[in-house]
Amino acid sequence: MNLRAILMGLAFALMWSSAFTSARVIVAYAPPLASLSLRFLVSGLLGVAIALALGQSFRLTRAQWRATVIFGICQNALYLGLNFVAMQTIEASLASIIASTMPLMVAFAGWVVFRDKLPLMGIVGLIAGVIGVGLIMGARLDAGVDPYGLTLCLIGSVALTVATLSVRGASSGGNVMMIVGLQMLVGAACLAVVSAATETLAVTWTAPLIIAFVYTTLVPGLAATWVWFTLVGMIGATKAATFHFLNPFFGVAIAAIIIDESIGPRDVLGVAIIAAGILAVQLSKQRPAAQTKM
């Protein structure tokens, strides 16, 4: 992994983690699904325009089209849609911590469902992740966290896991920026339908809303997605996913700094354990494949 890949991984983790704080600001002033649909429409059109300017085309492979549609539905419509709705009642830091467990879910699904090899270090990492999540959930439940919002975040993380399992097919074969734009348009279309059926369009226009919307559209929305696809294409999905161990730290820190969310001692301990578990799982995948199936 060269210096460029490391810098891109750090940038992705920081941008990805910041999305929860900006989303928390947005849903305080506007309907969550309508806001997210508009964000994806703007980001998607920009992405397609940039792709065309770079000489990319709509000629994707069958695997790319399939993965792009799955990614657009599972990550953009389900994962982010559910998280936007949830953050009307739960804190951004909690949502980011739950979402950060995605690498653990991917590893577990690969081990149990697809019978992938998982060394002892990986199994220890999974156990550590469960312990870390348990510590944080226990502290938040004691503090009266909204169970409905918490459930939506958990379902969203499962959807993100499915999206991640499909991303490898989308990142090979070129046309990366075109794929980024198209999967956002898929998400925009899905969310627009649900929003029209379930939401009342009432917006309180404020400076924080405008700043948060522009930021989340351009940075976590467009830039972070492009960086992720590019990074996966450079070093592979397994190595790229290693940077997810930074997401719990960044997510909690950004929420505390920007919107003054409180952090308890059990939160700090739980985040550290989850991060260590994610790192252990990802490092175990990079060990020689001579391991036997557990």
Side-chain angles (χ1 to χ4, degrees):
M1 194 182 299
N2 57 32
L3 179 60
R4 181 187 175 194
I6 293 173
L7 293 176
M8 289 181 68
L10 292 173
F12 165 76
L14 187 60
M15 290 187 289
W16 187 90
S17 301
S18 69
F20 298 91
T21 296
S22 58
R24 177 73 167 164
V25 174
I26 290 171
V27 300
Y29 302 104
L33 299 183
S35 302
L36 191 57
S37 178
L38 180 59
R39 165 196 155 175
F40 283 136
L41 177 62
V42 175
S43 297
L45 292 175
L46 284 174
V48 170
I50 293 171
L52 292 173
L54 293 173
Q56 298 180 16
S57 71
F58 293 99
R59 296 178 181 175
L60 307 182
T61 65
R62 181 177 299 180
Q64 285 179 321
W65 276 116
R66 181 175 61 251
T68 299
V69 171
I70 293 173
F71 202 78
I73 294 173
C74 291
Q75 172 174 284
N76 296 339
L78 290 175
Y79 159 65
L80 285 172
L82 291 170
N83 270 272
F84 263 58
V85 173
M87 276 187 283
Q88 293 178 301
T89 58
I90 69 170
E91 293 183 330
S93 56
L94 178 58
S96 70
I97 290 169
I98 295 173
S100 297
T101 62
M102 178 271 295
L104 301 175
M105 294 185 181
V106 170
F108 183 77
W111 183 35
V112 174
V113 178
F114 300 107
R115 307 302 299 170
D116 291 343
K117 296 176 182 178
L118 190 64
L120 179 60
M121 180 189 295
I123 297 174
V124 172
L126 286 177
I127 295 172
V130 172
I131 293 173
V133 170
L135 280 173
I136 294 171
M137 292 302 102
R140 296 303 176 100
L141 288 172
D142 289 344
V145 69
D146 176 42
Y148 176 70
L150 180 61
T151 301
L152 291 182
C153 284
L154 291 172
I155 296 172
S157 292
V158 174
L160 180 60
T161 299
V162 175
T164 301
L165 292 172
S166 74
V167 71
R168 190 159 195 159
S171 61
S172 59
N175 285 329
V176 174
M177 183 54 75
M178 181 62 72
I179 293 169
V180 169
L182 291 175
Q183 54 95 4
M184 288 182 177
L185 294 178
V186 171
C190 295
L191 290 166
V193 173
V194 179
S195 174
T198 61
E199 292 183 330
T200 300
L201 192 59
V203 180
T204 304
W205 292 101
T206 64
L209 170 62
I210 295 172
I211 293 171
F213 183 82
V214 172
Y215 174 82
T216 197
T217 299
L218 298 179
V219 181
L222 191 59
T225 306
W226 176 81
V227 168
W228 173 250
F229 275 96
T230 304
L231 188 63
V232 169
M234 287 175 56
I235 63 176
T238 299
K239 289 184 178 180
T242 304
F243 290 98
H244 277 291
F245 90 93
L246 295 170
N247 291 335
F249 292 110
F250 285 160
V252 170
I254 293 170
I257 294 170
I258 302 299
I259 55 177
D260 198 29
E261 288 190 357
S262 60
I263 303 174
R266 288 168 68 179
D267 291 327
V268 175
L269 179 60
V271 164
I273 294 174
I274 292 171
I278 294 171
L279 185 59
V281 167
Q282 296 308 134
L283 290 178
S284 72
K285 292 181 181 180
Q286 298 178 36
R287 300 177 68 179
Q291 306 273 359
T292 57
K293 291 185 179 182
M294 301 297 294

